[in-house]
Amino acid sequence: MGLDSVELLMEVEKAFDIYIPDREAEQIITVGDFYDAVWRHLNQSSSDKCLSQSIFYKLRKCFTDSFNIPKEQFRPEASIEEIFPIINRRQTYQNFSDANDLVLPPLVLTKKWSAILNIIGWLLIGGGLFVSLILINFFDYSKWWLLLAAAGIAITALISRWMDPLRTVISPPLIKQFAQKVIVLNFGTFRKDNTLNRKEVELIITHIIVDKFGLDLNEITPEKKIGDDLGIN
C-alpha cells in the first residue's frame, strides 16, 4: 500500500474505531473490498433500521423548533438555503450547531468570491514561483527565492481566513444531501444510540474518500480499484 492508501486506511479505522491488520489491508483492491473489510470488523448484523431516516426526522424537528417552519416544508428535495435564514446566517448557523450538539458542514464562499480567491491564489503562488524560477535560472539568484511561492501560499491562506465572514453558502444545497453529510460528520455520536446498516457504512466510507482526496462522489463505486481507477496509491 502507498502512503495515500495508508492514510485512507488510518482515517477509516479512526472513524469507525476499528483496526484492520496489514495482511488483510493488503487484500483491499477495490472500493467494494474496503466496504467488506470495514463491515466485517464492525461485527454488526444486518439492520433494517435506517439511520438516515431517523437523522432526517431529528433534523426536521430541530429546524421546525428553531425556525418555526411547518414540517411539510422540510422535504428531502427542498433547498436548505431556503429554510436557513440569510440574515446573520453565520451566527445563527453556529448557534443552531451548538444548541443541537451537531457538527454541521462548513459554510462556503459564493461562486463569485470563490473565483476571486482562486484567482488571487494563482497570481500569488504561480506568480511567485514564476518570478523565483526566472531569477534563479537566468540571473543566478539563490534558490531561497523559491520561498516566494511559499509566501504566496501563506498569504493566500491569510486572505482565505480574512474572507471567512463572506462564507454564507450552505453546501450541499439539498436537505437530503445535507442530512447525509451531517451523518458523516456526527456518526460517532449517532452510533451510540443507533445501529448503522450496511448502506450507511458504505456512505460514510465514500464521503471519507471524497473529502480526503477531492474526488467526485459519483466516481466512488464498488468495482473501482482504489489505486488504478481512483489514483489513491
Side-chain angles (χ1 to χ4, degrees):
M1 297 180 73
L3 288 178
D4 288 342
S5 297
V6 171
E7 288 183 13
L8 174 60
L9 178 65
M10 293 174 63
E11 191 77 20
V12 171
E13 288 178 332
K14 178 182 177 182
F16 288 98
D17 193 23
I18 60 174
Y19 171 69
I20 300 177
D22 292 342
R23 181 173 297 180
E24 185 176 351
E26 290 172 356
Q27 305 304 313
I28 297 176
I29 306 299
T30 67
V31 174
D33 294 337
F34 219 145
Y35 293 158
D36 292 339
V38 172
W39 184 249
R40 283 196 301 272
H41 282 271
L42 285 175
N43 194 29
Q44 297 184 80
S45 58
S46 180
S47 171
D48 293 329
K49 186 176 182 179
C50 181
L51 179 59
S52 300
Q53 187 178 45
S54 65
I55 298 308
F56 172 81
Y57 289 128
K58 177 178 179 177
L59 279 176
R60 186 176 71 174
K61 185 177 188 305
C62 291
F63 273 90
T64 53
D65 290 348
S66 299
F67 304 119
N68 195 28
I69 61 173
K71 290 182 178 180
E72 55 270 19
Q73 189 176 342
F74 197 85
R75 307 183 313 277
E77 301 306 321
S79 170
I80 195 75
E81 286 275 343
E82 296 177 0
I83 295 177
F84 227 103
I86 189 62
I87 299 176
N88 296 325
R89 174 173 286 179
R90 289 183 61 80
Q91 187 59 53
T92 305
Y93 199 73
Q94 186 60 53
N95 291 343
F96 180 82
S97 173
D98 294 341
N100 296 286
D101 196 23
L102 289 172
V103 178
L104 302 180
L107 297 172
V108 300
L109 294 170
T110 63
K111 290 182 179 180
K112 172 186 173 182
W113 285 111
S114 181
I116 291 174
L117 180 60
N118 286 335
I119 291 172
I120 292 173
W122 277 108
L123 289 174
L124 290 174
I125 301 170
L129 182 60
F130 177 77
V131 170
S132 61
L133 290 176
I134 292 294
L135 293 175
I136 292 169
N137 291 322
F138 294 98
F139 297 96
D140 201 29
Y141 275 63
S142 168
K143 290 184 178 180
W144 283 101
W145 281 90
L146 287 172
L147 290 175
L148 277 176
I153 295 174
I155 295 172
T156 301
L158 287 174
I159 293 174
S160 177
R161 183 71 177 272
W162 174 77
M163 294 175 74
D164 276 352
L166 301 175
R167 301 179 195 275
T168 58
V169 176
I170 301 175
S171 180
L174 300 182
I175 288 175
K176 178 181 179 180
Q177 299 166 333
F178 185 83
Q180 290 178 339
K181 190 68 175 179
V182 170
I183 291 174
V184 174
L185 294 173
N186 298 272
F187 71 85
T189 302
F190 294 151
R191 273 191 66 199
K192 296 176 182 178
D193 304 314
N194 298 275
T195 301
L196 291 173
N197 62 34
R198 169 71 182 238
K199 183 177 180 181
E200 288 158 347
V201 168
E202 293 179 1
L203 173 69
I204 291 169
I205 297 171
T206 299
H207 275 277
I208 290 174
I209 296 173
V210 168
D211 291 343
K212 190 166 185 62
F213 298 100
L215 300 174
D216 187 275
L217 191 63
N218 295 324
E219 292 183 66
I220 317 300
T221 53
E223 72 280 1
K224 291 288 182 68
K225 293 183 178 180
I226 294 174
D228 295 341
D229 297 328
L230 301 181
I232 304 173
N233 298 308

